[in-house]
Amino acid sequence: MSAGPGRRPPRHWMDLAPAERVDAVRAMGLPAFRARQISTHWFTRLEDDPTGWTDLPAAARERIAQTLFPPLMESIEELTADRGATVKTAWRLHDGSIVESVLMRYPHRTTICISSEAGCAMGCPFCATGQGGLQRNLSAAEIVAQVLHGARLLARGAVPGGPARVNNVVFMGMGEPLANFASVLAAVEELSRPEPDGLGISARGLTVSTVGVVPRMRRLTEAGLPVTLAVSLHAPDDELRDELVPLNQRFDIDAVLDAAREYARVSRRRVSIEYALIKDVNDQAWRADLLARRLAERGDRGWVHVNLIPLNPTPGSRWTASRRQDEKAFVEHLERHGIPVTVRDTRGREIDGACGQLAAKVNSDPARFPMAGRTGP
Ligand code: SAH
Ligand code: SF4
């Protein structure tokens, strides 16, 4: 199956827009209405084996399975934490690349964090994913498949708390979503498209996180989908941000914040500013004041919200999370300027919950993960 890293994945039902699915079944000599039947099995009933879809002609089922539902990835490691409420999955893609997704169940909602690329080209020095470079972009199907897997786990009651649905999807796993724009946009459309043609997750429950690829932020604005935009800022001054987020050397803080402000204006969605607090690097009170000023000068404070993330130290890194009192002071300084702020919970720390850390471990120690594994979507 595998022919080395970087090879494009096979075309899958989830890569196709609804009209293309009709074309695909017609190309197999089947009537158009079969497309809707197939999608109902796949997206509404969350069934994974076309050969068992008995309302389809027996002779066609095997062909449908082979040509429209090729295997995309296999789950090679599934780790749980928080008494089963957090489930982290490491996936091996058809070319051997590894990505990960994390399902987090809370009392009243369930969020899944997914990957948009195998690796990432952006090279942020505090991020495990950034250290390995980019292997390749994921296809729309590979992105949606991660959510589908979570939806299946929840539907069959495999996550404690009874059957449930995915409410939120955040593109905060491996990769820079806006660097893989076409596939991410197609995935977002499919996730939010009503059943049976998609998973029917409200676009408001989808969050695309970017490091600040300004031209693509503008394209996302023009696309007019009401997804939430998260911007990973991490520093309020270009001098420090140039170091923490190398892309800042191309698109500086003013450019990124202007594009974020414009997104908020057009989408009428509050933008989330992500800020990983790193001890003695970016957690000084004066930086909180500067951050607040730069956000407040772009209009009334309702356009934005700051989400502070305690740094999850990556192996071998000289950086670590801020002291408790510095984190508290940072929050207070933002609040003093009227900026809404929250501190992100740190679900799944003991299972390498942070961006790219599980996959980084798998990549560095392939012996731990034998080829035999459960098959994914
Ligand atoms: N590439 C996108 C989305 C994936 S990273 C982006 O950077 O926004 C998702 C989030 O995890 C980003 O806000 C990123 O800055 C953060 N992150 C990466 N490594 C981290 C670490 N070691 N500790 C805490 N947050 C981290
Ligand atoms: Fe890529 Fe985001 Fe990690 Fe930066 S923080 S290297 S953009 S995944």
Side-chain angles (χ1 to χ4, degrees):
M1 183 165 81
S2 164
R7 198 168 60 97
R8 290 292 301 166
R11 189 187 71 150
H12 190 280
W13 193 250
M14 292 184 285
D15 288 312
L16 306 178
E20 294 170 324
R21 292 174 186 155
V22 170
D23 293 342
V25 296
R26 281 215 178 105
M28 294 179 69
L30 297 168
F33 75 89
R34 295 293 183 198
R36 192 178 169 86
Q37 265 181 321
I38 292 171
S39 282
T40 302
H41 282 292
W42 190 257
F43 290 114
T44 307
R45 299 200 198 131
L46 303 173
E47 294 165 354
D48 60 3
D49 179 13
T51 60
W53 298 346
T54 53
D55 55 347
L56 294 167
R61 283 179 227 151
E62 190 62 45
R63 264 195 311 143
I64 289 170
Q66 276 171 13
T67 59
L68 300 172
F69 294 89
L72 292 174
M73 55 222 273
E74 82 184 316
S75 153
I76 53 168
E77 172 93 308
E78 206 142 80
L79 300 170
T80 59
D82 308 308
R83 298 203 184 95
T86 303
V87 183
K88 177 148 184 161
T89 308
W91 298 101
R92 195 198 324 267
L93 307 181
H94 79 111
D95 63 341
S97 302
I98 308 280
V99 298
E100 63 190 25
S101 54
V102 186
L103 183 82
M104 292 157 282
R105 184 164 191 180
Y106 301 93
H108 301 292
R109 68 195 158 91
T110 299
T111 298
I112 186 163
C113 174
I114 58 170
S115 297
S116 56
E117 301 180 304
C120 182
M122 299 297 161
C124 307
F126 58 89
C127 168
T129 306
Q131 306 320 296
L134 176 71
Q135 281 102 61
R136 69 168 167 87
N137 287 336
L138 301 193
S139 64
E142 287 170 324
I143 295 170
V144 176
Q146 299 167 59
V147 181
L148 196 68
H149 174 71
R152 286 177 178 152
L153 287 180
L154 287 166
R156 66 168 197 254
V159 181
R165 294 175 60 94
V166 174
N167 310 107
N168 300 101
V169 177
V170 297
F171 286 79
M172 291 190 182
M174 299 174 79
E176 165 51 45
L178 297 189
N180 183 17
F181 194 83
S183 296
V184 166
L185 202 68
V188 161
E189 284 173 342
E190 185 157 279
L191 292 170
S192 58
R193 196 179 294 130
E195 293 170 6
D197 293 324
L199 277 172
I201 301 169
S202 158
R204 290 166 180 277
L206 309 179
T207 299
V208 173
S209 179
T210 182
V211 77
V213 191
V214 168
R216 301 285 171 84
M217 291 169 74
R218 296 212 191 93
R219 270 174 72 187
L220 188 68
T221 309
E222 285 157 15
L225 298 157
V227 299
T228 300
L229 180 67
V231 175
S232 299
L233 203 68
H234 307 312
D237 52 306
D238 287 308
E239 195 185 348
L240 178 58
R241 194 167 192 265
D242 280 347
E243 186 190 349
L244 295 181
V245 179
L247 189 71
N248 196 65
Q249 295 160 29
R250 271 177 67 199
F251 305 112
D252 68 10
I253 294 172
D254 272 327
V256 170
L257 290 182
D258 286 347
R261 179 71 186 92
E262 182 62 5
Y263 187 83
R265 190 186 67 76
V266 172
S267 68
R268 305 171 134 259
R269 306 283 301 146
R270 196 187 282 234
V271 169
S272 180
I273 300 291
E274 309 294 305
Y275 197 108
L277 282 173
I278 312 174
K279 183 178 158 193
D280 297 331
V281 173
N282 65 354
D283 62 355
Q284 306 82 353
W286 71 265
R287 282 202 158 94
D289 291 329
L290 179 58
L291 174 62
R293 280 204 300 280
R294 296 191 80 159
L295 297 177
E297 75 193 13
R298 287 181 162 77
D300 82 75
R301 279 124 205 179
W303 78 274
V304 74
H305 160 269
V306 173
N307 189 28
L308 299 173
I309 317 168
L311 185 85
N312 199 355
T314 55
S317 163
R318 59 201 150 105
W319 288 325
T320 184
S322 298
R323 299 172 200 88
R324 258 320 227 274
Q325 68 265 31
D326 294 334
E327 179 184 295
K328 210 165 144 254
F330 204 92
V331 169
E332 281 165 11
H333 277 255
L334 288 173
E335 284 175 340
R336 218 175 276 170
H337 293 267
I339 303 289
V341 51
T342 48
V343 180
R344 189 195 285 179
D345 82 323
T346 50
R347 271 286 182 102
R349 274 283 155 101
E350 67 271 40
I351 53 171
D352 302 309
C355 181
Q357 289 194 27
L358 176 65
K361 211 153 136 185
V362 175
N363 279 327
S364 66
D365 187 9
R368 275 184 62 211
F369 303 95
M371 277 310 278
R374 286 146 294 187
T375 301

